[in-house]
Amino acid sequence: VPYLSMAAEMTTDPRERTRVMAWRVAVLAVAILVSGALSPIIREAFGPEWGYRAVGLFVALLIASGITLAWWGTRDLTLHSFGESSGSLFDQLRVVAASRHFRLVLGAFFLQALGTGCVLAGVDYMARYVLQSPGFASVLFAGFVGPALVVTPLWHRLSARHGKRATYAAATLVFGVSTLLSLPAAQTSRALTAIVVAVMGIGYAGCQMLPMAMLSDVAAYDATETGVHRVGTFTGVWTAGETLGFALGPLLYAAVLAAGGYISSTTANVGQPSSAITAIGVGFAYLPGVLMLCSLLLIRRYTLSEDDVISSAEGVLT
């Protein structure tokens, strides 16, 4: 609910929704970095028997804190709703599926979730087998997630100047091209790889913020045009698609490793054939890069502008 649905109801201004999503991505990046950095430390501090239990308790406290703060911080907020949902769940899903704008932005985001899942699944393999430095995985992870803290306001300003669709396409292009270049960079040097992955992170930040803001616009536009409140259905279907994409991404990466003859083992000393090393790089760089660029075909067909959303909301309020 606070992750997506409320953003469409907090304000009728699509530019303000973008600002809300910019903060959301920045805080999300902080949470990922905090949990990712502290969990290994906590695990080691509590030993083999209680380490993972302590990590589980730590993450549970993070989640509980987030839920409580989300409720407390918005308890006095006036939400803007344009009618109540009607019909069965099947009826609402059918209407949501009929929304061309929603299908396009969800399709693009799903392809990008697949690609991102491949990248995140392949970080450790790239560090271990291509860069020959298992510990470098932490550097790559931080380089991928960290830029969101710095560049999210930049993507917000660009979207205010050039529109969400154009800015989303630019972020996707940055993400896709840099991902394609990550394998050649890894074959050159670790320093160059870190730089390219940081550029990937810059594009990733935009690809997280902008489609979420566009989704809020789509849901709010649908509510004002139809008089029926379906933001929960829109965001529910979106979350299901997002979860499916991030779940299938590692599976897709595993399939590429299997096709390359990767030898699975509980030890780190097992030798891998050259085809497996190639598969590790292809699954990390070329496959997600192509998925990102393919999503551009859907983004360019998205035509809902911020002026359309504002005009629709003003008409209802009038």
Side-chain angles (χ1 to χ4, degrees), residues 133-166:
S133 177
F136 205 70
S138 298
V139 176
L140 297 180
F141 180 79
F144 185 69
V145 178
L149 299 174
V150 180
V151 303
T152 298
L154 173 61
W155 287 122
H156 175 219
R157 287 195 292 270
L158 289 175
S159 69
R161 179 177 299 179
H162 302 289
K164 292 187 181 73
R165 186 186 71 164

Side-chain angles (χ1 to χ4, degrees), residues 106-123:
L106 175 60
F109 190 75
F110 177 76
L111 290 176
Q112 293 179 4
L114 277 176
T116 302
C118 290
V119 170
L120 294 176
V123 164

Side-chain angles (χ1 to χ4, degrees), residues 177-201:
V177 173
S178 58
T179 303
L180 291 173
L181 295 175
S182 62
L183 181 56
Q187 294 170 338
T188 303
S189 71
R190 294 174 189 170
L192 183 59
T193 304
I195 294 173
V196 172
V197 170
V199 176
M200 290 168 58

Side-chain angles (χ1 to χ4, degrees), residues 222-273:
D222 175 81
T224 56
E225 289 294 298
T226 64
V228 181
H229 186 60
R230 284 187 285 258
V231 62
T233 308
F234 275 106
T235 55
V237 174
W238 179 278
T239 303
E242 177 185 20
T243 304
L244 181 63
F246 281 119
L248 291 180
L251 181 64
L252 188 59
Y253 187 79
V256 173
L257 294 188
Y262 179 82
I263 302 173
S264 180
S265 174
T266 57
T267 66
N269 298 323
V270 63
Q272 298 293 341

